[in-house]
Amino acid sequence: MNYFIADTHFFHADLLGDNDFAPRPFATVAAMNQAMITAWNDRVDDNDVVYHLGDIAMNPGDMPSEEAVLAILSQLAGRIVFIKGNHDYQACFKYLAHHDPGWHGQAKFSFHAVGTIIKDDHTQFIMTHYPLLLGITHQTLNLHGHIHHSSVPIAENLNVGVDAPERALLAHPLPWGAPLAAAEIHELYAAKQQALQQEK
């Protein structure tokens, strides 16, 4: 099964507490990190693939070491496909590739500098870190992150980030920090279409 997430921002102390950008209701970075690890592993099976759409970790003024980032990622179930975000660095990607913990004889991690595309239920998922302006599309969705607690007012643009407001449109709320399943992406698209129609 495929899952999707963005903007985990592990170690990012400035996001703790109530704020307009990315409110995270935790007293410590350790508690925040553990909540995301737990939410991930409660959903994701070892045979699943998680598409991480950028911004793995951050701590302004004192970037977490590659070793610290690897220690977090090694605890996460499944294989992980990384799309580079504005707070991700090629040096970190190279370190992760060199120290890949492995997955049943294969690499656990793979990397894309800009984005990638998969097809699910006759729908293309164009996955990028930054939201794209696709124009008129048919059976094509842009899954993205970057804008945290904001939303592009276009149904085909779905913010899959940890802090995304789209998550509130799910009929059955997920634990904070949980990756979204492909079926939930389709649910969010239908719900966002309806919500935007009601705003007109």
Side-chain angles (χ1 to χ4, degrees):
M1 187 178 293
N2 291 324
Y3 289 90
F4 310 88
I5 198 167
D7 300 303
T8 46
H9 280 244
F10 289 109
F11 302 104
H12 196 163
D14 287 356
L15 301 184
L16 298 177
D18 192 24
N19 61 79
D20 292 332
F21 181 62
R24 300 196 171 185
F26 301 96
T28 66
V29 161
M32 177 185 74
N33 289 352
Q34 189 56 56
M36 286 189 281
I37 293 168
T38 300
W40 181 304
N41 289 338
D42 282 349
R43 301 207 86 198
V44 177
D45 183 86
D46 187 47
N47 294 313
D48 295 330
V49 177
V50 181
Y51 290 86
H52 190 301
L53 278 53
D55 288 3
I56 302 165
M58 185 183 176
N59 190 10
D62 183 21
M63 292 301 293
S65 68
E66 281 93 354
E67 294 86 353
V69 173
L70 177 63
I72 290 279
L73 297 177
S74 296
Q75 297 176 59
L76 301 176
R79 287 183 293 143
I80 310 174
V81 179
F82 294 104
I83 292 164
K84 188 175 180 293
N86 57 302
H87 293 299
D88 298 320
Y89 297 91
Q90 203 60 40
C92 184
F93 277 10
K94 287 180 179 178
Y95 180 89
L96 294 175
H98 186 70
H99 296 87
D100 193 306
W103 179 87
H104 302 289
Q106 303 176 43
K108 180 179 178 70
F109 306 139
S110 59
F111 308 89
H112 295 276
V114 177
T116 192
I117 300 173
I118 65 170
K119 200 164 193 178
D120 186 273
D121 193 22
H122 309 289
T123 302
Q124 281 193 112
F125 291 172
I126 301 177
M127 293 174 285
T128 56
H129 179 63
Y130 303 99
L132 300 177
L133 185 58
L134 296 175
I136 297 172
T137 63
H138 299 284
Q139 296 178 301
T140 301
L141 302 176
N142 172 217
L143 311 187
H144 65 85
H146 186 61
I147 57 176
H148 289 267
H149 197 51
S150 296
S151 180
V152 176
I154 299 170
E156 288 75 17
N157 290 84
L158 293 171
N159 184 353
V160 301
V162 169
D163 315 297
E166 276 94 329
R167 289 171 175 263
L169 297 172
L170 290 172
H172 303 286
L174 296 175
W176 184 88
L180 293 156
E184 289 156 348
I185 297 297
H186 296 288
E187 179 188 344
L188 284 178
Y189 175 51
K192 190 171 180 181
Q193 281 182 306
Q194 185 176 7
L196 289 172
Q197 283 293 329
Q198 291 172 351
E199 290 176 8
K200 290 182 177 179

